[in-house]
Amino acid sequence: MTDSNYIKIYTGNFIVVQRIIQDLKKQNINAIIKDETESGRLAGFGAPIQGQQEVFVNKDELEEAVLVVESITSKIKS
């Protein structure tokens, strides 16, 4: 397995992930969404946890991206 320049910063439902992606784009951060449920469906398999998506960002943008995620998740909790 090769090393990746991307780090997972969030795992959650579709709605929150879309909000995170939107705010990351405003900061000029390009994120990658990994959705095992959709990938499994397309391949004819199931996923262990339905509806969960993962957000990955480049290591160089990690600090700024984490601040965006923390801001959004803190609003959700309050």
Side-chain angles (χ1 to χ4, degrees), residues 10 16 19-20 66-78:
Y10 183 78
V16 177
R19 172 66 191 276
I20 290 170
V66 168
L67 293 175
V68 170
V69 171
E70 288 175 349
S71 171
I72 293 169
T73 55
S74 68
K75 290 176 186 175
I76 292 170
K77 291 178 183 177
S78 60

Side-chain angles (χ1 to χ4, degrees), residues 1-10 21 24 28-34 54-62 65-66:
M1 179 177 224
T2 61
D3 289 334
S4 173
N5 286 332
Y6 286 85
I7 297 177
K8 180 170 54 172
I9 60 167
Y10 183 78
I21 295 299
L24 288 173
N28 293 319
I29 298 172
N30 292 315
I32 296 174
I33 301 172
K34 181 179 177 184
E54 299 173 333
V55 178
F56 291 81
V57 296
N58 191 294
K59 291 177 183 178
D60 296 337
E61 302 170 321
L62 180 62
V66 168

